[in-house]
Amino acid sequence: MTAHPTRPFEGQKPGTSGLRKKTSIFMQPGYLENFVQSTFDAVGGVAGKVLVLGGDGRYFGVEAAQCILKMAAANGAARVIVGQGAWLSTPAASNLIRSRKADGGLILSASHNPGGPEEDFGVKYNMANGGPAPESVTAAIFARTQEIDSYQKMEAPDLNLEMVGESHLGAMVVEVVDPVAAYADMMEEIFDFKALRGLFHEGFTMRMDSMCAITGPYAVEIFENRLGAPKGTVVHEQPLPDFGGMHPDPNPTWAHELMDEMMGPAAPDFGAASDGDGDRNMIVGRGIYVSPSDSLAVIAANAHLVPGYAAGLSGVARSMPTSAAVDRVAESLGIACYETPTGWKFFGNLMDAGRVSLCGEESFGTGSDHVREKDGLWAVLMWLNIIAARGMGVAEIMADHWETYGRNYYSRHDYEVLPIETATAMLGDLRDRLESLKGKQVQGLAIESADEFSYTDPVDGAISEGQGFRILFEGGSRAVLRLSGTGTEGATLRVYLERYAPGPDGLTEDPQAALAPIIAATEEIVGIRARTGRKGPDVIT
Ligand code: VG1
Ligand code: CO
């Protein structure tokens, strides 16, 4: 018997990036099965199809992979390509889908959310282009979860996912592959590995913090084995089911060990960290932190120095809350710059259509059209290649960049686990007052406009509404507010703050000080602290 009767579970609505819930919710009998069957149904079934499967090594990942394999077999899939140990970083999964011409893939991860029995789990479906399912598909999946009455799952013993090779589950082939090799080979095609080997040979020092998550094996292979960086360059390199208790979100708050080292007297030349599933990156130089929005702009300005982008960029894209630093680079390069809603799924069409080759988000995500996901280690290699080509350190590169383009001071303030009603009422009120804000003076700043962002995809015309509130002040400063779509508890309010300084003076202020007037004006307009009773944000990046 492969057909199992079931009943819908509430709330199986994919968010910014897949379905994320507390692990215990995912472990309820039938919960994962319902979501996976709904996904298969929403993409027209998987009979005869080839799928890629893997995840970030978090708790429940192997059990989930075993379950999905039995479901894929019962649903008639032809082949599933699985990373050994059920491991695949998100960009490596995207690469495998593309290079193996698979029909799609399932990634088992809640990304930057902590893992473990008390923490989070997640499942994400990617399309044949290697990118996250677009909103039309996630909406169809959700609709299916609300009416599902049975799922298909083969009764079979668990497979051995620890050994590379092929086996069968009924008529379906299960192909266990080395999760690292194909990805590392691709990096070798894009970057000047010879120059990078030279850099490390000359004594360049680096600390790569994999935060006990999936990039460890990839980083050891690329930096230590292939590029000759000393053993120990990669720290927290063993993926652990609970990430060793770390919160694998590469930002100054959660990657504080790396930050302390990079700001200390014995700092290496270069530091980087990545997240749970390996698609995010944080870049730090000796004594200098690089904001993700600035990192995107620097990569855009210097990409031509990297062999894979020697012909130049076709265009760039950034999510709406990401700073406009990259816009200035695009303007000077004479290429298009697109502004999309938050989430990597909005970049896929632009890349597939050849309109952009580089994309980024303020949330530590950067990537290019080499895959259809953001890619943490790729971003680290971009920086290393730029450093090698220019013969300059991170601080010098940043100073030079700001002198050339001016500086977009930027910060994001997160208020976590707010009561959902408080957060939605606060933003509902703001929505009602948007019209009346225009022309007002707040804390000495004139409001130029205020609106709610909506996006029309220039390729397929799909419309996405309600993608965040924008308050634009005179002179190019702004505040953006939206609720997170990746949290699993209460509501998380994200407040994005930006101010442009053209230079040549005033390029070296502390970002929080530089943004103080905008922070004060936003508080006066929205009343975040007053309404939530919070003294300040939980996380500042
Ligand atoms: C957050 C980020 C967004 C990113 C998403 C997935 O979403 O803001 O930019 O694409 O996480 O990243 P939200 O809805 O919580 O703001 V990952 O690395 O967690 O898959
Ligand atoms: Co991630």
Side-chain angles (χ1 to χ4, degrees), residues 440-510:
K440 279 212 171 122
Q441 285 274 339
V442 184
Q443 300 273 331
L445 294 171
I447 301 177
E448 211 170 75
S449 70
D451 65 4
E452 195 170 9
F453 182 57
S454 98
Y455 177 67
T456 304
D457 188 303
V459 179
D460 66 13
I463 296 172
S464 304
E465 286 177 327
Q467 297 294 327
F469 298 95
R470 302 190 283 197
I471 304 167
L472 302 180
F473 302 99
E474 230 168 39
S477 298
R478 65 172 189 163
V480 170
L481 295 97
R482 60 178 281 280
L483 294 181
S484 157
T486 58
T488 57
E489 230 183 315
T492 292
L493 173 69
R494 304 205 193 283
V495 184
Y496 311 82
L497 306 145
E498 179 174 359
R499 201 195 99 196
Y500 180 63
D505 300 322
L507 295 176
T508 52
E509 278 181 65
D510 167 60

